[in-house]
């Protein structure tokens, strides 16, 4: 049973989604195997290799921990990470942020134009952006919202025009760079997809709340 437990933990480790959990289960498997080798098999060779496996994984976990500790975010980056990249490692979040840039948009700055390709996906940390369809105001975006994400996900031209209404500060990443990222680094791209999904849920809830609060004729 002890021998089976060692292999069971190793199999379960392969099902983990995070590398840290995988390593921790491998370490647990190795400790059980060491006990099995010492008490039942009397196998010094197995003890040596299992001990080496434990040490290697402890070293790797320590390196990852220290690497995470060294990551620092600006106040704007921290807002982004806290609201839209929760659960993402600091290193992956920083890698994503470094692919874009922070800027400020004055009132009248056009972020997307209805019917044209979307040049950038934008994340707002302050200010307000008006959303217009056929020059009719249909909605607004504020701090914590993405702009242009739907057209990128659907790979279609912008369905609306987005114009800065109040001086805004935002992070943006070019659509071309984002598409390359989706092909070359699905882990970091997936981090952004999770953030976009959370924002879409927030927008849908807000729209439903506004609709239910509007008096019906």
């Amino acid at each position: 049973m002890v021998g089976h437990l060692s292999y069971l933990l190793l199999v379960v480790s392969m099902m983990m989604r995070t590398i840290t959990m995988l390593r921790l289960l491998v370490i647990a498997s190795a400790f059980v195997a060491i006990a099995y080798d010492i008490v039942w098999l009397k196998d010094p060779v197995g003890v040596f290799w299992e001990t080496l496996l434990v040490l290697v994984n402890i070293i790797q976990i320590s390196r990852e921990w220290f690497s995470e500790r060294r990551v620092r975010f600006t106040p704007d980056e921290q807002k982004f990470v806290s609201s839209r990249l929760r659960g993402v490692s600091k290193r992956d979040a920083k890698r994503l942020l470094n692919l874009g840039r922070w800027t400020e948009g004055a009132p009248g700055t056009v972020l997307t134009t209805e019917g044209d390709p979307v040049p950038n996906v934008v994340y707002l940390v302050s200010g307000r952006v008006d959303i217009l369809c056929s020059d009719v105001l249909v909605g607004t975006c504020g701090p914590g919202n993405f702009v242009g994400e739907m057209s990128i996900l659907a790979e279609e031209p912008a369905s609306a025009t987005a114009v800065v209404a109040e001086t805004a500060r935002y992070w943006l990443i070019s659509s071309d760079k984002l598409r390359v990222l989706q092909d070359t680094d699905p882990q970091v791209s997936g981090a952004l997809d999770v953030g976009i999904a959370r924002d879409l849920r927030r927008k849908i809830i807000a729209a439903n709340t506004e609709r239910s609060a509007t008096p019906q004729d």
Side-chain angles (χ1 to χ4, degrees):
M1 292 300 294
V2 175
H4 282 303
L5 177 59
S6 172
Y7 284 107
L8 177 61
L9 288 171
L10 195 60
V11 170
V12 172
S13 73
M14 298 298 108
M15 302 169 63
M16 296 298 102
R17 292 190 174 186
T18 64
I19 190 65
T20 300
M21 283 303 302
L22 184 151
R23 293 190 187 282
L24 288 173
L25 284 174
V26 168
I27 290 172
S29 170
F31 274 127
V32 174
I34 289 171
Y36 185 56
D37 290 337
I38 292 175
V39 177
W40 286 275
L41 298 184
K42 315 296 184 184
D43 180 11
V45 174
V47 171
F48 170 79
W49 286 108
E50 295 293 348
T51 301
L52 185 60
L53 183 62
V54 169
L55 291 175
V56 168
N57 278 279
I58 289 177
I59 290 171
Q60 289 297 102
I61 289 175
S62 299
R63 289 179 59 188
E64 291 167 5
W65 185 80
F66 281 113
S67 178
E68 286 277 299
R69 294 278 293 180
R70 288 197 299 268
V71 175
R72 295 289 183 270
F73 296 117
T74 66
D76 286 340
E77 289 175 337
Q78 187 60 57
K79 289 180 182 178
F80 189 2
V81 172
S82 298
S83 64
R84 293 293 171 259
L85 299 180
R86 287 173 296 180
V88 177
S89 72
K90 288 184 178 180
R91 287 187 303 164
D92 285 345
K94 193 66 173 180
R95 286 167 58 199
L96 173 61
L97 289 166
N98 288 342
L99 291 174
R101 61 186 176 88
W102 291 94
T103 187
E104 290 191 357
T109 301
V110 177
L111 301 179
T112 66
T113 301
E114 186 176 0
D116 289 350
V118 177
N120 305 292
V121 170
V122 170
Y123 174 81
L124 291 166
V125 292
S126 65
R128 191 183 89 242
V129 172
D130 287 342
I131 308 300
L132 303 99
C133 286
S134 302
D135 296 326
V136 176
L137 180 66
V138 295
T140 62
C141 290
N145 287 149
F146 285 96
V147 177
E149 79 285 1
M150 288 298 294
S151 297
I152 294 298
L153 292 175
E155 297 184 352
E156 297 177 350
S159 58
T161 297
V163 182
V164 175
E166 295 177 357
T167 301
R169 180 160 177 78
Y170 47 85
W171 174 85
L172 60 83
I173 181 172
S174 72
S175 301
D176 291 339
K177 188 175 292 186
L178 185 57
R179 291 190 183 95
V180 171
L181 182 67
Q182 290 171 336
D183 294 332
T184 60
D185 199 335
Q187 184 172 355
V188 176
S189 175
L192 183 59
D193 289 343
V194 170
I196 288 174
R198 286 173 177 154
D199 184 46
L200 288 175
R201 180 175 179 273
R202 176 184 173 186
K203 288 177 178 176
I204 291 171
I205 292 174
N208 289 338
T209 301
E210 182 179 353
R211 188 177 297 112
S212 63
T214 303
Q216 301 296 318
D217 294 333

